[in-house]
Amino acid sequence: MRQDDDDKESDTVSQEKLDQLEALLEQGWSNLHQGRFADAEKAARAGLAVEPEMPDIYTLLGAIAAHQGDVEVALGHYEKASEIDPEYVQPLLYAAELHFGVLEDPVGAMELCERALEVAEEEDEYLDALLLKAEIHINEGEEDDARKTLADLPPTDYPEPVFHLRAGQAWLDLDEFDRAEKELQKAIAQEGDFADAHHALGLVHAARDHHDRMIEAFVRVRDLDLAEPAAPWALPKERFAELAEKAHAELPERIRELLANVPILVEDYPSRQQVDEGEDPRMMGFFSGVPHPEASSVGGPPHLDHVVLYQRNIERVAHTPEEVAEEIRVTLIHETGHFLGLSEEELEEMGLG
């Protein structure tokens, strides 16, 4: 619960209730992050029973609905939170992220960002809103606007390394490699084992063709990722393989015929050898072999080809078992595209990058 709400609500909510609400919110967010949605909602509903006009509770309910894929319900909860407290930044930004990433509504997302910037008082709120605004500009190809927005970032160390990470990723997307590296190094200085920052730094080195430095960063990422526990929504390997088989069975018949001698394998994570050879440790799939058009022209042996799905990487980008299944499908289609000889650019154009 936001600390700055305590004073304004102390007249109507007793300290005992505030303590109870804070405990329920902590419990709800913890359950949400662990993928226990029913328990998270139970805590949120208990909070509403204590205080039905608490914007933090509606924000939590919105986040629960968003993680479960119910966008309209999520937006309704965020709107309710904003109605109760128009100066509460978090529901505005959560709603903006849904408009941007799910509804593909950059105009609506930008309007919410501007509202958030108007009322942001805390540094982290301002940074969050400004970075999201820049990310929307970048996604829309508005590079000059993105640079202007990023120029408004204060030239100081930010309160959390994730803000430096996001700034670094934004500059990387704009091919501003020096600025990207500067921000990413700040993130790493604040949190040495920040795997996401090391990964982004590896991408900076890759863009500069600094192969050895890229490998060094990617090896660090691999070590850090393997030290992390599996995601709370991780599936048993047998279930993961079943979903891969199901995704394979749903491919068009002609593609399944071409893949008849191409086994679909499941592994936890790319090998150290692959990373040493320059492969991204966070790739979700890998096609090994000769693309079908080339093999067809030279009569290459199709039995040497195979597709690998990397379970831990797929589960990292998902947030529910349902999302894991969808990522398996998309990854398999992506790697099938490589088998068929499609380039990364062609896959990007098809929405499978």
Side-chain angles (χ1 to χ4, degrees):
M1 187 164 55
R2 297 185 301 154
Q3 187 65 42
D4 59 358
D5 282 341
D6 289 354
D7 293 339
K8 73 168 70 173
E9 296 183 21
S10 60
D11 292 339
T12 57
V13 183
S14 69
Q15 186 60 49
E16 181 180 356
K17 280 189 175 182
L18 287 173
D19 292 342
Q20 186 178 2
L21 287 165
E22 185 172 355
L24 287 169
L25 282 165
E26 183 177 351
Q27 179 184 346
W29 284 108
S30 177
N31 283 323
L32 174 58
H33 294 151
Q34 293 297 314
R36 297 193 292 265
F37 302 129
D39 291 337
E41 183 162 357
K42 182 179 179 180
R45 296 295 176 186
L48 284 183
V50 175
E51 175 50 59
E53 293 297 304
M54 182 67 70
D56 307 69
I57 298 292
Y58 286 101
T59 302
L60 172 57
L61 284 169
I64 296 167
H67 275 78
Q68 293 178 302
D70 201 333
V71 176
E72 293 305 317
V73 171
L75 290 174
H77 287 311
Y78 295 146
E79 184 176 355
K80 176 66 174 178
S82 295
E83 287 175 359
I84 296 171
D85 184 356
E87 296 184 359
Y88 189 8
V89 172
Q90 206 59 53
L92 295 173
L93 292 178
Y94 282 168
E97 288 170 358
L98 285 180
H99 277 274
F100 174 42
V102 180
L103 298 179
E104 299 182 356
D105 173 22
V107 174
M110 191 66 75
E111 289 175 354
L112 287 161
C113 283
E114 295 293 356
R115 284 176 57 190
L117 286 169
E118 289 175 2
V119 298
E121 294 181 355
E122 302 296 327
E123 182 182 13
D124 58 344
E125 296 175 340
Y126 175 77
L127 291 170
D128 201 354
L130 201 63
L131 286 165
L132 181 54
K133 181 179 176 180
E135 290 157 0
I136 295 169
H137 282 312
I138 291 170
N139 188 70
E140 295 303 299
E142 300 162 352
E143 295 191 356
D144 289 343
D145 289 330
R147 288 185 172 89
K148 291 176 182 177
T149 300
L150 291 171
D152 290 335
L153 290 170
T156 59
D157 289 342
Y158 305 147
E160 298 291 339
V162 68
F163 295 124
H164 288 296
L165 168 66
R166 290 173 63 187
Q169 290 172 325
W171 285 121
L172 173 59
D173 288 338
L174 294 169
D175 294 335
E176 298 272 1
F177 303 131
D178 290 344
R179 290 180 172 181
E181 181 171 3
K182 181 180 178 180
E183 294 294 341
L184 296 171
Q185 291 290 8
K186 285 185 176 182
I188 292 170
Q190 290 182 352
E191 184 181 334
D193 291 341
F194 194 1
D196 290 349
H198 285 286
H199 184 257
L201 188 59
L203 296 178
V204 171
H205 295 321
R208 289 169 160 168
D209 291 326
H210 294 170
H211 188 76
D212 290 343
R213 297 182 69 185
M214 178 193 73
I215 299 299
E216 181 182 0
F218 281 174
V219 168
R220 181 70 184 280
V221 172
R222 184 178 187 276
D223 291 342
L224 291 170
D225 282 350
L226 288 175
E228 289 293 315
W233 44 85
L235 302 175
K237 194 163 188 176
E238 296 76 13
R239 176 56 179 159
F240 191 96
E242 288 175 2
L243 290 172
E245 292 177 3
K246 183 175 183 292
H248 177 271
E250 293 173 353
L251 292 172
E253 182 178 0
R254 176 53 180 157
I255 294 179
R256 282 188 281 112
E257 290 175 356
L258 294 173
L259 287 172
N261 295 318
V262 181
I264 310 298
L265 309 178
V266 175
E267 296 180 7
D268 278 346
Y269 203 84
S271 69
R272 172 61 188 267
Q273 179 180 346
Q274 287 176 294
V275 177
D276 285 341
E277 291 173 353
E279 298 294 346
D280 189 331
R282 290 188 167 180
M283 62 182 174
M284 293 188 288
F286 183 74
F287 167 69
S288 177
V290 179
H292 177 71
E294 298 176 24
S296 299
S297 63
V298 298
H303 64 279
L304 296 180
D305 301 337
H306 64 271
V307 171
V308 184
L309 301 178
Y310 296 109
Q311 182 170 353
R312 290 191 60 166
N313 284 344
I314 287 175
E315 290 172 342
R316 175 182 294 103
V317 302
H319 296 94
T320 66
E322 292 75 19
E323 288 185 17
V324 171
E326 176 62 15
E327 289 297 339
I328 289 173
R329 186 188 70 82
V330 171
T331 303
L332 182 58
I333 293 174
H334 179 102
E335 298 309 324
T336 298
H338 285 308
F339 171 73
L340 297 175
L342 299 177
S343 67
E344 287 291 342
E345 291 74 17
E346 290 170 318
L347 289 166
E348 287 283 355
E349 291 175 1
M350 295 169 61
L352 298 170

